[in-house]
Amino acid sequence: MIKNTMIYEHIKDYLPVIPILELKKGEYLFRAERKTGNLFYIFDGLIKVENISYNGKKLIVDILDADNFVGPISSIHNADFQCSGVAETNAKVLVLKKSLMDELMQNDEFLVMFYQKTSKRVYVMYKNILARSLFGENEILAHYILKHSSGDIFKYKSIYNICENLGISRRGIYNILYRFEESGCIEKLDSGYRIMDRAYLENVADQMIKYMKNSEDEA
């Protein structure tokens, strides 16, 4: 798997000294309060980047898949975002210690690859977070339902998971879903909802769909 990643050509000579971490779903890869200076490169699975406020509210900042850097990357730019990383699925990552990163950063080709990958994710992340301020909760949830539906079926892990991803309270989520049911555009199932009127949801989320289109094409 490592040979199929973009980083391989830059680190193949260092592989004997690069630790590999295997994480189980729910296990933390790094925590905001523990500073090590290490970065990580995902070669299998998903890592969720989250921020928790002083009052315990959790914000999902990003979800990264294989062939991506993850860790306190913002610290490189002296802008520590105070984020933690947790395995969204079972995952495997390379541990890129600070001393190794300092050496790799001397290579122009690696430097270009690193900044291309990380800067693209930062802009996608920023746009996702900005959308929460620009659009109403109805628009945000309608867009989420459309984006995460398969055919006409929208399934989700839990309401709590939706709250984390969208930054909307449980009460807010339930109220909006109830209104959508009342309008006849969705129908409750045992493990989710059936979309009965896609055009209705598309109309509610129209401006957000247009706003997010480029980001979703690139992500």
Side-chain angles (χ1 to χ4, degrees):
M1 289 184 185
I2 297 173
K3 288 184 177 181
N4 295 329
T5 63
M6 289 184 67
I7 200 176
Y8 176 73
E9 286 300 317
H10 303 288
I11 63 165
K12 59 184 179 182
D13 295 333
Y14 301 95
L15 281 176
V17 297
I18 297 177
I20 295 175
L21 283 182
E22 295 190 22
L23 302 164
K24 295 192 179 299
K25 180 179 179 179
E27 187 176 353
Y28 275 87
L29 173 61
F30 59 95
R31 291 182 181 270
E33 66 273 15
R34 298 177 189 169
K35 313 293 184 188
T36 65
N38 296 337
L39 295 184
F40 308 92
Y41 199 84
I42 308 165
F43 66 92
D44 188 31
L46 300 173
I47 301 294
K48 177 172 64 177
V49 180
E50 62 183 31
N51 185 289
I52 301 178
S53 70
Y54 69 93
N55 61 359
K57 183 178 180 181
K58 185 182 293 186
L59 173 68
I60 303 304
V61 176
D62 203 359
I63 297 179
L64 294 136
D65 58 5
D67 221 7
N68 277 296
F69 291 95
V70 68
I73 296 170
S74 59
S75 298
I76 294 175
H77 303 284
N78 297 315
D80 190 357
F81 289 170
Q82 296 290 310
C83 290
S84 299
V86 60
E88 179 77 350
T89 64
N90 290 347
K92 295 179 183 179
V93 303
L94 299 172
V95 181
L96 305 175
K97 295 184 178 179
K98 186 179 184 304
S99 56
L100 175 60
M101 281 299 299
D102 289 343
E103 187 171 342
L104 290 172
M105 289 291 221
Q106 301 304 311
N107 181 300
D108 289 342
E109 291 183 1
F110 175 83
L111 204 60
V112 169
M113 188 269 290
F114 176 80
Y115 281 117
Q116 281 181 337
K117 278 191 164 293
T118 56
S119 62
K120 178 180 177 180
R121 294 305 309 177
V122 167
Y123 278 105
V124 171
M125 176 186 72
Y126 178 69
K127 191 169 187 178
N128 287 336
I129 293 174
L130 189 60
R132 298 178 186 179
S133 299
L134 295 175
F135 299 97
E137 293 183 347
N138 282 12
E139 296 169 283
I140 292 171
L141 186 54
H143 177 265
Y144 186 85
I145 291 171
L146 290 167
K147 182 181 176 184
H148 292 86
S149 61
S150 177
D152 287 328
I153 303 299
F154 167 63
K155 291 186 177 181
Y156 55 90
K157 296 179 183 177
S158 67
I159 290 293
Y160 179 73
N161 183 257
I162 299 177
C163 294
E164 280 189 342
N165 281 283
L166 302 185
I168 303 174
S169 69
R170 288 172 62 90
R171 178 179 292 181
I173 296 289
Y174 281 124
N175 285 341
I176 296 168
L177 289 174
Y178 176 76
R179 289 197 295 270
F180 284 166
E181 282 188 84
E182 287 289 290
S183 72
C185 69
I186 60 174
E187 177 184 65
K188 187 75 176 76
L189 302 174
D190 289 339
S191 58
Y193 289 86
R194 187 190 311 278
I195 297 175
M196 307 298 292
D197 189 345
R198 181 172 291 271
Y200 181 96
L201 291 175
E202 288 174 345
N203 184 60
V204 172
D206 179 59
Q207 292 303 312
M208 188 167 177
I209 291 170
K210 293 174 181 175
Y211 177 81
M212 295 300 295
K213 186 176 187 305
N214 290 340
S215 295
E216 289 165 1
D217 289 344
E218 295 171 0

